[in-house]
Structure formats: structure tokens, C-alpha cells
Amino acid sequence: MFTVLDMAQPDKLEEAFEILTKRKNNTILGGCAFLKMSKKRIGTGIDLSRLNLDYIREDNGFIVIGAMAALRDLETNALLRDAFGGILSQSVRNIIGVQFRNGVTVGASVYSRYGFSDLLTALLVLDTEVELYNGGKMPLRDFLQKPYEKDILVQLRIEKNQRLAAFSSFRKSASDFAVLNIAVSNLDKQWTIAVGARPGRAVIAETASRALSQGHLSAEEIEAAAKIAADELSFGTNTRGTAGYRKALCQVLVKREIMEVLQCKSN
Amino acid sequence: MEAVNLRNVGHSIPKIDGLSIATGKPAYTEDLAMPHALVLKILRSPHAFAKIISIDTSKAERVEGVECILTYKDVPKVRFTLAGQSYPEPSPYDRMILEGVVRYVGDEVAIIAAVDEKTALKAMKLINVEYEVLEPVLDFEKAIGHPSVVHFEEDLTCNFDIGLHKEQNIVSSHEQAVGDVEKVLKDCEFVVEDVYYPQAQAHAMMETYRSFTYQDYMGRLVVVSSTQVPFHIKRQLARALQIPATKIRVIKPRIGGGFGGKQTGAGDVFAALVTLRTGKPAMIIYDRQETFSCTTSRHAMRIKVRLGADADGFIRAIDLEVLSDTGAYGEHASTVLSCVGEYTLPLYNKTKAVRIRGNAVYTNKMPAGAFRGYGATQGTFALESAVNKLAERLAIDPTEVRLKNISQKGETFLTGHGVQLGSTALDRCIKKGREMIGWKEKFPRQTLSGTKVRGVGMAITMQGSGIANIGTASAEIRLTDDGNFALLIGATDMGTGCDTILSQIAAEVLEVPLDKIYVSAGDTDTSPFDPGSYASSTTYLAGTAVLKAAEELKGKILDQGAKFLGASKENVIFEELSVRRIDGEGEISLAKIAEQTILGMGNLQLAAMATHGSQISPPPYVAGFAEVEVDVETGKVDLIDYVAVVDCGTMINPNLARIQAEGGIVQGIGMALFEEVRYSNLGKMETNTFMQYKIPCRQDVGNVRIAFEESYEPSGPFGAKSIGEVVANTPPPAIVNAVYNAVGVQVHHLPVTAEKVFLEMLKQQ
Amino acid sequence: MQIELTVNDKLVTWDVENDEFLADTLRAHGFLSVKKACDTSCCGLCTVWMDGKPILSCSILAMRAHGKKITTIEGVSQAAEEFARILTAEGAEQCGFCSPGFIMNVLAMKNELDNPTEDEIIHYLTGNLCRCTGYMGQLRAVKTYLGVA
Ligand SMILES: Cc1cc2nc3c(=O)[nH]c(=O)nc-3n(C[C@H](O)[C@H](O)[C@H](O)COP(=O)(O)OP(=O)(O)OC[C@H]3O[C@@H](n4cnc5c(N)ncnc54)[C@H](O)[C@@H]3O)c2cc1C
Ligand code: FES
Ligand code: FES
């Protein structure tokens, strides 16, 4: 049971950040689905509801998603359903249920950098920027490598371009955490392959992405790129699968998602 | 009574409590609790096996709002069992309310009662316990002869000789053999042998275990409990708390699912003890984690099967060797063990010899207990998997092997003591099922693409209806002063709809509309005795008790009516809520009869009471067929279609029977594909939330289709048998078989996961 | 802290703890239709509406309901009963413990989706677990209710 001693509902980000850094156990409250399961004793809970950060909108060639947007908003938002083969919508649509996704937030999901995250895997193959209150803007892939630091994730900015993408998540039961997540995208000649739930945090298979970008997308090359991805990434074992199985899955699923992107291309 | 022209029986009448529970009216234990009841929390052992050296509650007791903290020093020194079974229970008396020894992670150490949950949890953190940690027995295959003895205490007793050898960690040994299995096997042209591991499964009913207790104005202990077995709980409490049974009243309100889990006591003793000590109302609600890790699960087993068949494909010998993991306490250990054979061996009766042998062993894990299927589920997985293997060896279609070998109506079987089978439609179930699934076109496999292959598989199963010679049920029906009927039953509706079904039976016999009957059930003060709803007994036994009582009461009403009309009983009939003279010379309404008998100078309330037990336990049957799609590159198994054809005798209420069947099949699908109770290597349960223990969600189950082939069971009410449990058994073997037929991978350890299938496919390449 | 909210069209002012979840608040105020069956946001039994959207009341802090419109099944009794009649006619409320949350999500779905396909229905209702019925009867009831059977 987590406890919250005090509650703050700041009107300004500045104030929120100040409270956050004032004491070690002061904490931002997202949808609280994850916090609720912890035994955390929170000093001041910081509710961002008054900051109106629950938007998803287009802004100067970017799709901008506020930290307090719910996962269900990502799923149903017309802009996101149309962009990038709808992979952001797709990536969240199997997380527990509609009611759950109406409550949990994009900001928490990204800030927490969960290994199992479906959303992060999908975001990683897009041109995604994370905007932190204190840390400023940075590409998502840089953010993912940064150590945890107390900050407020304010919004995500995704360059709205013609990127084609595909996402798939391998699950045992439909509403379980993923055994493996795969996202693949293509813009001009550049390919990006990301693998999540390894079970570690999502990463880009750099060598495989490069190999694919340089070739002619023959069946053999695709097969080879998938193998490179499986070989270059590290996989671990947890209750949902062993490292060896994940590696084997990775190869199969990367190949399939590349094919999927090629399919959207020809359509 | 034949099932023709019936107005109530055989009709899909909505449950009488359906609308109110569906729309959330307060009806469950927590809804009924008093607002200021003390809140209980249990401090539980972090160790799989340990002795308590010291326990200091002084700091915790000083927390404001703490009412009492109880440890093993505060409880009666008497052992009992939480198994909800008729006295004398065949489960060992191997536990105390609290003890100085803890035998699994989660075993109870102290009870904290406080004004609210926060206070109780705060106090819990302040209790200081020093343990001497002992080497636990975690692997059930190594339990026998393990240097650690789970129950070393001297005062453990059992009402029967169940083959208990506690120094060897054996709680029960069982052997039943008819004929010389070894010899017959030797003579068989075809012998298959294999080992199967049905896993522990969690009941995962939506309403967790909970109990609310208080003392009434007479100082009696009232226990409102989410239980399937109120009378057993009463008896348990009397023994555990060492108080007279007359001082206890157990009330079962609506309950949010049981599946056998609530046939074993859980928090009742703790709440009751607190109420007795403090005189105050108390409430215990197990959270989901406690429900997963501190109650019971299905028994995990290892079952070795040997099957022998002759050249014509007749199964001549069946040999089962069972090892059953009963965990830290022996609730239901001996009976679940014997039921592995009891509910499988009679399926096939062309046998010349059959045998089941085995042991149930203690380990330092959460106890196993009763769970829908009760041994039959595990036995069916093993036997039916082996029969499928045999069919392949024989090169005979698996459906044909069954049709050739199953017991038919009027026949006997080796373990059946010469009793003839009163009813079976299993042959029709098999034929109908294979037609529905498209067996002829689909068996064994269809290749859809380079990566997708579909396979079909099947299994059959049986269960009992009640426990022969042990199970009983009583019912009472009264004509009330307003001309209606009160139906009093001890049977415990847990959503199964028995309050409705038993009313339907009463209404049918009494020839009155259903709304003339109200049900009063599940209260040990007012209900006639019934052991509770388990062992698939309610429709069959309680149904017959209701039928008998209703017939008797109807006779009495006719008698009285005739008297009022000045006619002989032969010359009156009951029609349209009145007793009428056949010659049309007069009639008297039910309301009038009630008025004139009960009120004024009548001095006679018409009522009838009946008790019913049965010397036989007629089996219901299911033939189950699965179609799966396997991704050959990943091993992923998707269930496409599941067909189950059920013979439950007469369906008293077809819709309720269908939902029972669909629910049972899906629970079986969960066991086949998703569910598994898992422990860490220190004995801590890892699957203690719905995040880690995945019951099927609606995307997981494909299409489940149920059909019925009715038979008529002469010993059952209107020809009915049972349905509650039998429906859970076929999915594991049928799905495993479908996967085998698709990609040639035989899974021995449930559940079937993509990774297991994938790895086996790799090995084959 | 004190929150002001509308529950089933009635304005109320409630005192809640900082770390209190809405499901507990609602039950404490007598809305006993709200059931809970897990501690991990997995079961959907606690479903109520916040500003018309289905949410898990077990996982939403009570203070977040400040200024919002909360609807429990008691607040939509007519529609709930209409669907419950279909559900019970199917026999698809077994223990019934999951039914109020399920019904709230079915009604929300009806408001949100036009002519959903079977897959869309199943997807929308995935967050509602039921251990008794095996889901098929619930689906039949929903299809009858939506007239898409
Ligand atoms: C049962 C369950 C199953 C799940 N399954 C999946 C799954 O299959 N796939 C998947 O991808 N995800 C899954 N999730 C994760 C879920 O999608 C959310 O990511 C998660 O619940 C966190 O969101 P929240 O709003 O509940 O965050 P909270 O619990 O409120 O917060 C989580 C953390 O993020 C911090 N935080 C919140 N907002 C901000 C912010 N703006 N800036 C900085 N820090 C912030 C909080 O302080 C806290 O430390 C699951 C979660 C649960 C509970
Ligand atoms: S109680 Fe389980 S999701 Fe709310
Ligand atoms: S009816 Fe019991 S959980 Fe759904």
C-alpha cells in the first residue's frame, strides 16, 4: 500500500519542479496504476492535473503529446491513427483494458522507461523527442540511456513525416506483458529496427538497421538483417521467456515486421 | 418422473437472484458487514519452513487503534482440518489456528485486529519475530524420504487410515487394483507408457475469501462467510475454537465464485477468534495476493500412465501411478488422490485389469485443496493423453478408439463393484462433437501457409454426481400463511444457480408458478443440513431431496383439500392453484387452504422435509474437441475453436447448464495454455497477482461451442446428473493433442507455452 | 482533503485521504455496487465512469474526482437493468460479482462505438475479467443488446 502524506496541485511547472526536488520522497503522480502497487511512502504527491498537459496536437510539423494524455487518448486520436501506420495507437491497444488506458498516462509510461514498455518500442522507431522540464529536449534514444534523474516529463514531440512503420508485440495471453516487442520503420532509404521487452529496455538494433538501409531488400537481405538484429542485441530471461527463446523470436518477428513495412509501402 | 410436458424443469429460466446481483445490489459478505467491524490483517511467514523462536507484539499493541494481536500462544491447542468434508473427514487434523511452526511462505504467524486497515498494517510492521529457519521440502518429487519432515509433531491425527506416514512426508497412500495389470499388459500387442505433469492451478474466483463475524444478542457467534460449506465451517469452528456448535451460526450470503476453493476454510477462524476475544464484530478480507498464495490451489501431480491394447484396439489394461503435491497441509489430499482413478478408470470398460497407485506428499508450499474436477482433471489429462498416443500407435482414429472402448448403458466396469451404468450419452457426445468441429476434414492437421498449421485434438471425461454413500442433502418446503411456499435448503448457491434450479424442481412438482416459491438457503440456523455445494452434488442430491419434499407436501395439500371439500383424496386434483373435485362439485384455493390450516383453529402448517443420499454417483460426460493454430516459426498456439458436447442427464435449466459448461471449458483452457502456480527456489509464490498469474481474458479463448446430448438418469431428479465439474477436464488433453497433431510436439508439463512448443520443434529438426 | 464532485447527478462534498482510491470512497459512501477483485488494476470489476468515460475506480485517486462527474451503476439503473435482463436471460451472470463493472463498460462501449464488430466488442471489454462464465454468454448478451447479433 503506497501512502501520500501531502498533496500538491501546482498551477505552474516551475512550482511542480520545485516541490519535486525539495524532498527525496516527493513524487509526480501520473495515473498512479504503477505507484499504487508500490510500498512507496510519498512525502508530497504532485498532481499535474492543473497544468493541462493532456493534449495531443499538431504543431509546426510535430505531433506533440502532453505528459498527462492517457494511453487511451493515443489509441483513439485520429492524428495518431493515421500517422506512421498507426503504430502508436496499436502499441498501446493491448495494455490491460480500455478503463485502464483511460487512467494511465503517457508521461509516466515514457519517464519510467519500463523494459516491457510497448509504447517505448514504437516511439523509438519514430523521430521522437522527449521534453523534460529541467533536462530540456532530447531525442528519445538519448533519454533512454540517461540515468534516472528527478525531472518532469512535459511532452513528447514526434516529427510528422512520411515514415512508414509497423509494430508487433508477442504475448502469451493477450493482456499480459510482452515477451518481446518489435517495431520497424522506414523513411527514404533509412530503416530503423527497435526491440523491446528483451526483457530489458527497448533499444535500436543499429547494425541491423544499417545493413537493411544499405541493401536492396531482397528476401535474403531481410533474413540476414533479422539475424543481425538477433545477434547484436542482448536478451535476458524472466518468467515470460528465456533469453534463447527471445533471441529466436527476435529474428522471426523482425523479419515479419520488415515485410509488414514493405507491404504498407506497396499499398 | 419423466421429463415430458414440464413447465419449469427444462426451461431456461433466468436466475431468481440474477437481476439484483448483476446490477450491484448489496448481497455479498462485505456488503453486509457492519461499518465499524474491526479490520483484520494477518502477519505471514516469510520462510517456507521455520520455527518461531520468539515473537514480540508489545510495540504493535501500543499503536492507537489496535484492538488485539493474537499469536500461537493465544489459540486452543487443538488440531483440525480446514477441508470442508463431511464428518469424519478423511483429511488429517494437521493444523492449528496459529502454531509455533510455519510450513510455507504465507503461513499465518499473527492476527492483528484494528480499527482500520492502515492501523492494522502499521501495527503489523512493528511485530518482531525471530525464526529458526529450517530446510524446506520444495520439490514434491523429492518429498518422500526428504531429510526434512514437514509435519514432525506428535499430535497430528486422522479419522481414517489414509496411509499417512508423516515421517516420510506421505500424507496419504492409495492403491486400488482389479485384475493383474502387469500380466495383462504383458499380453497386450500395444503398450504405451508416458508421464504427465498437470500443474497447480489457482481458483481465481473474483470475490476473494472473506468473512465477517459478530456476536448476536444471545452471545452466539455469527459468521457471515463467502463459503461453499456453511455447515462444515460451523463444525470446523466448533473444534478449532473449542466452543459448542450450538453457539455458532454460519450464514452464506451471495458469493462471488468458489470453484472448490471455498470448500476449504480460509479466514473464518481468524475473524471468529477475534470476535470471541474482543466481543466485537470483525471482518477479514483476503487481498488478491493472499488469495493466490495463502489459501489453496489445485494439486500439482506427476502421473505415470501405462495402457495396453490388443490387436483389435480394445484397451485391456490401465495403470496409473500418481504422485500428488498437497503442500503444507493435507486438506483433501487423500480424496483428490483417489479420485484420479475413480473418475477416469470407469470410462473404458473393455479392460481386464486396472490399477491406480500413488502417494500424496507434504511439501513446504501453499496447501492444495478442492478444485473443480477434483483429481479427475489431472487424471483425465494423463489418461486421455495416453489414449491419444495409443490411437496413433494403433493407427485408429482417436474418436473411434473411444467409441470402441467406452462403457455403455447397462454395463459394468472393473472398479464399479458390479453396479450397472444407469445412463450415458457419451457415444453420441463423441459423434456430435466430431461433426461440429469438422473432424473428418481436419484431423489431424491442415497446413494454412508456410508458417501456420492447424491441428485438432480430442479427449473425453467423466465425473460423479455427489459422493456415493456419503453425500446427503435435505430440503424442507412449507406452505406459508399467505398461500405461497418457502423452500428451505442447505445447498449453497455460489452463482451456480442452484437456488433457481431447486425452485424449478419444487415448482414443477407442486405445479405452481416459480414466483410462488421463495428460497431461504445457506444459514445453519434455519436451513436443513446439507454438506454444501461441492462434488457436483447439488442438482443430483439436493434436487432429489427437494423433489421428495415437494411430492410429500403436494400429497398433504391434496389430503387437506379433499378434507375441506368433503371428498376422498382420489377424487380431487390440484389445478390452477386450487384443489378441485374431479366431479366439478367444488374447489378450494391454495390460499384458502393455507388460511384455514395455519390461521385460526386450523392448527396445522403443512410442510414436508426430505433427506436424500445416493448409493451411486452417476457420471456426467463430456467429449471435448480443440482446434488450434500453431505458428511454426514461434511456437505460438492460438485456440481457434473448442467444442464440448455434454451429457449431464436432463438439463433442469439449459441456459445455466450452458454457462456452467462454457465457464468450465474456459477454466480448462486456462489450465491448458496460460495458468501456472509457480514458486521461487526459496518457496515463495511468484504468481500471486493477476499480473503474473494470467487467467484467460476474452481475447484468449477463441470460440467455445457447447452442445448437449441428454441422457436420462433414473436415479436423478427428472433424469438429471451433474455438470459443475465435469466441464473443466477435457481442455488440457484435447489442446495438447491438437498441438501434437499440428506440429508433432507432445507437451507433458502443463501449460502449453509457445516456448515449450518452439523448443520441441527445434529438437525435431 | 475535501473534494466536490457529482455522483450520479448529485453534487456531494466528501473528505478523502490523499492516498485514498475512488473505489474505496464510493463504497464507504454506500455505493456498494462497486466491487474490487485485485490490487493490480487488472480485473475491471471496479469500473465506473468519470465524465462519461469508463475508468478503474480502484486505481484513480479519489482527489482526482474533484470537479468531475462520477457515474456508478446506481446512476444508470434503467439502462443497466435493460442490459441486465438480457444478460440474465442468457444466464451469463453467474456469481454476478463481475457484472456491475462489466455492465458499466458495456454501456460505455455502447456510447462510444458505433456498430462495433465482434472483434471490437471483445477488444473493448478485454479489461473485464470473469472467471465464471467463459465470456461466450456475455458476448451473446452484448450482441443482442446492441442489435448486432
Ligand atoms: C497491471 C499493469 C499492466 C501493465 N501492462 C503493460 C504492458 O503490457 N505494456 C506496457 O507498455 N505497459 C504496461 N503497463 C504500464 C502502464 O502502461 C503505465 O506505463 C504505467 O502504469 C505507468 O503509468 P501511470 O500513469 O499509472 O504512472 P504512475 O504510476 O502514476 O507513475 C509511474 C512513475 O512515473 C512517474 N511519473 C509520472 N508522470 C511523470 C511525469 N510527467 N514526469 C516524470 N515522472 C512521472 C511517477 O512519479 C512514478 O514514479 C502496465 C501497468 C500495470 C499496472
Ligand atoms: S479492482 Fe481490479 S481493476 Fe480495479
Ligand atoms: S460471473 Fe462470476 S466472475 Fe463473472
Side-chain angles (χ1 to χ4, degrees):
Chain A
M1 203 155 116
F2 94 129
T3 50
V4 182
L5 295 178
D6 289 312
M7 189 65 78
Q9 295 185 299
D11 297 307
K12 295 208 175 67
L13 269 168
E14 194 181 353
E15 195 187 330
F17 185 73
E18 194 182 308
I19 304 169
L20 179 64
T21 44
K22 200 185 274 167
R23 246 193 279 128
K24 195 159 172 272
N25 60 353
N26 292 0
T27 305
I28 305 279
L29 307 177
C32 289
F34 234 84
L35 278 175
K36 169 187 140 125
M37 296 188 297
S38 72
K39 296 218 160 66
K40 234 173 151 157
R41 289 178 61 80
I42 293 172
T44 303
I46 305 158
D47 175 26
L48 306 181
S49 301
R50 291 203 187 154
L51 299 174
N52 300 322
L53 290 174
D54 54 355
Y55 49 83
I56 300 176
R57 59 178 176 237
E58 202 170 341
D59 183 9
N60 262 328
F62 284 87
I63 296 176
V64 192
I65 305 172
M68 291 300 279
L71 294 194
R72 175 76 179 158
D73 299 336
L74 288 192
E75 184 185 350
T76 52
N77 183 276
L79 197 58
L80 291 176
R81 290 174 80 118
D82 291 342
F84 321 116
I87 66 164
L88 292 185
S89 306
Q90 264 173 45
S91 73
V92 296
R93 79 189 296 274
N94 276 322
I95 303 175
I96 305 287
V98 167
Q99 310 96 303
F100 177 87
R101 298 193 295 278
N102 271 329
V104 301
T105 61
V106 171
S109 300
V110 173
Y111 178 81
S112 302
R113 289 163 272 190
Y114 303 115
F116 55 74
S117 177
D118 303 300
L119 177 60
L120 280 181
T121 312
L123 284 171
L124 202 49
V125 298
L126 307 180
D127 306 282
T128 309
E129 229 176 45
V130 173
E131 187 177 326
L132 299 170
Y133 172 77
N134 191 44
K137 288 183 203 160
M138 69 192 76
L140 175 64
R141 55 173 90 183
D142 295 350
F143 174 70
L144 289 182
Q145 317 228 313
K146 265 173 58 123
Y148 274 101
E149 227 173 85
K150 266 198 166 184
D151 206 338
I152 301 170
L153 193 151
V154 181
Q155 60 178 15
L156 302 177
R157 292 160 53 82
I158 306 169
E159 194 180 319
K160 189 155 186 254
N161 49 27
Q162 294 308 306
R163 205 174 265 284
L164 293 174
F167 169 86
S168 92
S169 165
F170 191 89
R171 290 166 134 84
K172 292 170 111 171
S173 151
S175 66
D176 197 3
F177 293 100
V179 179
L180 201 72
N181 283 323
I182 305 284
V184 173
S185 75
N186 171 253
L187 180 67
D188 303 328
K189 287 239 153 79
Q190 295 307 306
W191 288 79
T192 310
I193 300 168
V195 182
R198 302 171 294 115
R201 220 178 259 175
V203 287
I204 291 176
E206 303 281 0
T207 319
S209 302
R210 228 174 297 126
L212 197 61
S213 307
Q214 283 160 5
H216 302 90
L217 300 170
S218 67
E220 295 74 37
E221 282 171 348
I222 291 172
E223 192 81 53
K227 179 149 191 331
I228 295 170
D231 286 338
E232 76 176 290
L233 300 178
S234 66
F235 298 92
T237 295
N238 68 0
T239 54
R240 286 176 175 73
T242 61
Y245 182 56
R246 286 195 159 96
K247 187 176 160 102
L249 267 186
C250 175
Q251 186 173 339
V252 174
L253 299 180
V254 165
K255 177 187 71 184
R256 288 185 185 175
E257 292 320 299
I258 296 170
M259 305 296 285
E260 184 73 29
V261 173
L262 288 173
Q263 283 271 313
C264 350
K265 227 177 188 171
S266 54
N267 285 341
Chain B
M1 229 185 245
E2 282 289 344
V4 283
N5 291 330
L6 302 178
R7 288 187 191 178
N8 287 288
V9 165
H11 294 267
S12 289
I13 294 166
K15 288 213 309 254
I16 54 180
D17 53 348
L19 263 191
S20 27
I21 59 175
T23 54
K25 300 293 179 303
Y28 302 85
T29 303
E30 188 187 2
D31 304 339
L32 305 178
M34 295 171 187
H36 297 296
L38 294 172
V39 174
L40 263 62
K41 288 282 155 190
I42 307 285
L43 175 67
R44 297 180 177 280
S45 168
H47 304 294
F49 197 19
K51 283 184 188 165
I52 297 172
I53 304 288
S54 69
I55 182 162
D56 179 3
T57 57
S58 53
K59 258 196 222 146
E61 273 159 9
R62 285 199 292 270
V63 174
E64 191 188 331
V66 169
E67 185 71 25
C68 73
I69 297 180
L70 304 171
T71 70
Y72 70 92
K73 297 167 197 157
D74 305 305
V75 306
K77 299 285 168 285
V78 55
R79 288 187 189 276
F80 65 103
T81 177
L82 286 174
Q85 297 173 307
S86 287
Y87 182 81
E89 308 94 327
S91 294
Y93 292 161
D94 57 4
R95 64 161 83 227
M96 292 198 225
I97 300 175
L98 297 169
E99 204 181 336
V101 179
V102 285
R103 297 188 180 80
Y104 71 98
V105 176
D107 211 349
E108 295 85 8
V109 174
I111 307 165
I112 301 120
V115 290
D116 59 27
E117 188 178 357
K118 263 193 175 166
T119 309
L121 290 173
K122 187 170 165 197
M124 191 193 293
K125 288 203 191 101
L126 297 173
I127 299 176
N128 231 321
V129 191
E130 210 183 319
Y131 296 96
E132 176 193 342
V133 177
L134 306 172
E135 176 68 27
V137 182
L138 295 176
D139 181 349
F140 78 114
E141 295 187 80
K142 294 187 183 138
I144 298 178
H146 195 283
S148 288
V149 174
V150 178
H151 283 274
F152 48 77
E153 68 275 13
E154 291 299 318
D155 56 346
L156 185 160
T157 57
C158 193
N159 293 316
F160 294 96
D161 177 10
I162 56 169
L164 182 116
H165 297 286
K166 63 183 195 313
E167 64 294 342
Q168 289 186 66
N169 290 321
I170 296 175
V171 58
S172 177
S173 288
H174 174 71
E175 172 154 4
Q176 184 183 17
V178 183
D180 186 339
V181 165
E182 297 297 343
K183 184 167 171 305
V184 178
L185 276 174
K186 212 170 273 165
D187 294 342
C188 285
E189 268 81 0
F190 297 91
V191 175
V192 298
E193 207 180 317
D194 218 339
V195 190
Y196 300 94
Y197 289 83
Q199 81 282 39
Q201 183 183 21
H203 305 87
M205 69 294 279
M206 284 297 134
E207 185 200 27
T208 60
Y209 296 80
R210 51 198 63 194
S211 181
F212 157 60
T213 54
Y214 63 95
Q215 279 179 314
D216 69 10
Y217 59 94
M218 301 274 289
R220 291 172 79 223
L221 174 69
V222 183
V223 180
V224 181
S225 174
S226 180
T227 180
Q228 292 172 233
V229 286
F231 283 93
H232 292 333
I233 294 295
K234 173 171 141 174
R235 199 187 58 250
Q236 264 171 28
L237 290 175
R239 181 179 168 92
L241 299 166
Q242 295 287 291
I243 58 173
T246 50
K247 292 273 184 210
I248 306 172
R249 173 183 185 185
V250 179
I251 298 170
K252 175 219 70 99
R254 295 295 97 186
I255 76 176
F259 313 114
K262 292 173 183 172
Q263 194 196 336
T264 304
D268 310 301
V269 278
F270 308 122
L273 184 64
V274 166
T275 289
L276 289 183
R277 285 298 153 87
T278 62
K280 294 186 178 176
M283 173 90 199
I284 187 163
I285 297 183
Y286 278 34
D287 63 21
R288 183 53 64 185
Q289 192 169 327
E290 287 175 300
T291 296
F292 270 119
S293 57
C294 313
T295 58
T296 55
S297 70
R298 195 187 284 292
H299 289 78
M301 293 186 187
R302 177 190 69 200
I303 305 179
K304 295 185 185 164
V305 196
R306 289 193 298 165
L307 277 186
D310 65 17
D312 299 324
F314 289 109
I315 298 172
R316 297 304 188 192
I318 305 174
D319 188 25
L320 303 175
E321 194 191 325
V322 186
L323 184 71
S324 171
D325 185 352
T326 201
Y329 299 95
E331 276 91 16
H332 304 276
S334 68
T335 37
V336 168
L337 174 62
S338 58
C339 284
V340 172
E342 201 161 315
Y343 294 143
T344 54
L345 296 176
L347 278 173
Y348 301 109
N349 71 343
K350 311 299 174 273
T351 46
K352 292 179 175 158
V354 296
R355 178 170 67 180
I356 170 170
R357 303 172 280 172
N359 294 302
V361 294
Y362 281 128
T363 55
N364 292 110
K365 289 182 290 186
M366 180 177 83
F371 193 141
R372 188 184 215 173
Y374 207 81
T377 312
Q378 295 94 322
T380 302
F381 172 54
L383 177 62
E384 287 298 285
S385 295
V387 172
N388 284 325
K389 197 168 171 178
L390 179 70
E392 190 182 30
R393 288 282 300 285
L394 292 164
I396 305 180
D397 183 290
T399 61
E400 293 298 335
V401 170
R402 265 78 177 200
L403 287 170
K404 220 178 159 100
N405 282 286
I406 54 174
S407 308
Q408 303 285 357
K409 184 174 163 183
E411 294 180 354
T412 59
F413 48 89
L414 286 184
T415 51
H417 308 289
V419 174
Q420 292 179 351
L421 198 54
S423 64
T424 168
L426 182 56
D427 52 343
R428 282 184 275 137
C429 293
I430 295 170
K431 288 175 190 161
K432 172 97 167 230
R434 73 180 172 190
E435 205 178 290
M436 284 173 67
I437 198 99
W439 187 261
K440 291 236 160 74
E441 308 82 67
K442 292 176 177 169
F443 177 78
R445 87 183 59 80
Q446 297 171 291
T447 303
L448 301 191
S449 69
T451 58
K452 296 281 164 75
V453 182
R454 286 190 177 184
V456 289
M458 63 114 24
I460 60 172
T461 190
M462 61 172 280
Q463 198 83 34
S465 305
I467 308 174
N469 300 312
I470 293 177
T472 63
S474 300
E476 184 183 339
I477 310 179
R478 299 180 192 148
L479 178 62
T480 57
D481 58 335
D482 42 26
N484 293 301
F485 295 93
L487 171 62
L488 286 78
I489 48 177
T492 46
D493 198 329
M494 49 180 148
T496 43
C498 72
D499 288 356
T500 305
I501 282 168
L502 296 176
S503 305
Q504 283 178 263
I505 291 174
E508 193 64 58
V509 177
L510 291 166
E511 296 181 71
V512 298
L514 201 61
D515 62 11
K516 301 282 292 175
I517 299 175
Y518 71 86
V519 182
S520 164
D523 178 339
T524 58
D525 265 15
T526 55
S527 305
F529 179 79
D530 189 302
S533 287
Y534 61 90
S536 297
S537 54
T538 301
T539 302
Y540 180 69
L541 292 180
T544 306
V546 169
L547 187 145
K548 283 181 175 173
E551 278 176 342
E552 190 187 325
L553 181 58
K554 193 175 162 196
K556 288 183 178 174
I557 291 169
L558 281 173
D559 273 343
Q560 270 307 313
K563 220 180 258 173
F564 288 133
L565 295 173
S568 69
K569 194 180 175 188
E570 293 71 44
N571 291 321
V572 295
I573 51 165
F574 188 77
E575 226 176 39
E576 290 170 33
L577 300 178
S578 298
V579 176
R580 288 180 179 156
R581 286 173 63 130
I582 296 174
D583 59 16
E585 293 295 300
E587 66 171 50
I588 178 166
S589 71
L590 204 51
K592 203 78 195 160
I593 293 176
E595 186 187 315
Q596 298 202 354
T597 48
I598 301 172
L599 308 177
M601 292 306 291
N603 293 332
L604 176 70
Q605 178 159 17
L606 296 181
M609 166 116 179
T611 301
H612 183 71
S614 175
Q615 289 170 343
I616 54 170
S617 173
Y621 296 99
V622 174
F625 295 79
E627 182 177 8
V628 300
E629 183 171 298
V630 184
D631 182 330
V632 297
E633 288 184 326
T634 65
K636 182 146 193 357
V637 176
D638 284 318
L639 182 63
I640 303 299
D641 194 11
Y642 200 96
V643 168
V645 188
V646 183
D647 163 20
C648 58
T650 301
M651 285 184 281
I652 305 288
N653 185 320
N655 271 358
L656 297 187
R658 180 175 301 278
I659 296 292
Q660 274 291 329
E662 289 171 348
I665 293 297
V666 167
Q667 218 164 29
I669 291 170
M671 182 169 173
L673 291 173
F674 306 107
E675 300 178 32
E676 180 179 23
V677 174
R678 255 193 338 265
Y679 293 85
S680 75
N681 48 21
L682 293 175
K684 183 174 185 307
M685 189 184 291
E686 288 176 333
T687 47
N688 59 9
T689 63
F690 280 131
M691 262 196 312
Q692 305 303 346
Y693 186 95
K694 296 309 283 188
I695 64 169
C697 69
R698 53 191 89 223
Q699 288 185 46
D700 291 329
V701 292
N703 196 14
V704 176
R705 296 186 290 148
I706 308 292
F708 290 90
E709 282 294 329
E710 286 186 292
S711 63
Y712 186 87
E713 171 54 43
S715 68
F718 297 94
K721 296 189 280 193
S722 76
I723 189 163
E725 293 183 274
V726 70
V727 287
N729 302 336
T730 57
I735 289 171
V736 162
N737 184 225
V739 171
Y740 176 79
N741 287 334
V743 292
V745 169
Q746 177 70 48
V747 174
H748 296 94
H749 290 259
L750 292 175
V752 181
T753 61
E755 180 160 357
K756 285 179 195 168
V757 175
F758 176 83
L759 291 178
E760 283 303 314
M761 283 193 299
L762 266 194
K763 275 190 209 157
Q764 287 172 6
Q765 279 166 12
Chain C
M1 68 193 300
Q2 209 173 52
I3 56 171
E4 244 179 63
L5 66 161
T6 310
V7 181
N8 299 337
D9 292 331
K10 278 214 178 77
L11 199 64
V12 296
T13 307
W14 287 344
D15 275 322
V16 300
E17 306 273 342
N18 293 327
D19 44 19
E20 183 173 326
F21 286 95
L22 182 58
D24 301 322
T25 316
L26 288 169
R27 281 197 68 91
H29 286 89
F31 297 92
L32 298 178
S33 67
V34 181
K35 308 285 190 255
K36 289 197 295 177
C38 74
D39 310 307
T40 53
S41 318
C42 292
C43 72
L45 266 76
C46 60
T47 303
V48 302
W49 299 347
M50 185 183 261
D51 289 344
K53 282 187 188 168
I55 52 146
L56 300 177
S57 61
C58 73
S59 303
I60 300 275
L61 285 173
M63 65 96 179
R64 286 260 168 86
H66 178 70
K68 306 268 193 208
K69 252 185 85 167
I70 299 296
T71 311
T72 70
I73 199 167
E74 288 94 343
V76 285
S77 50
Q78 215 175 351
E81 191 174 321
E82 188 193 342
F83 176 65
R85 280 194 192 283
I86 299 171
L87 191 70
T88 53
E90 253 334 309
E93 84 307 351
Q94 204 181 93
C95 77
F97 206 64
C98 70
S99 302
F102 174 69
I103 292 177
M104 287 309 282
N105 210 28
V106 168
L107 300 183
M109 173 176 71
K110 184 165 187 261
N111 293 337
E112 191 173 337
L113 307 183
D114 290 327
N115 286 321
T117 62
E118 183 170 313
D119 280 352
E120 285 165 346
I121 293 171
I122 291 175
H123 175 253
Y124 200 98
L125 301 175
T126 293
N128 291 89
L129 296 181
C130 172
R131 187 59 155 172
C132 298
T133 66
Y135 304 119
M136 301 296 141
Q138 290 184 342
L139 182 62
R140 289 192 293 274
V142 170
K143 285 164 121 182
T144 307
Y145 178 58
L146 299 180
V148 297

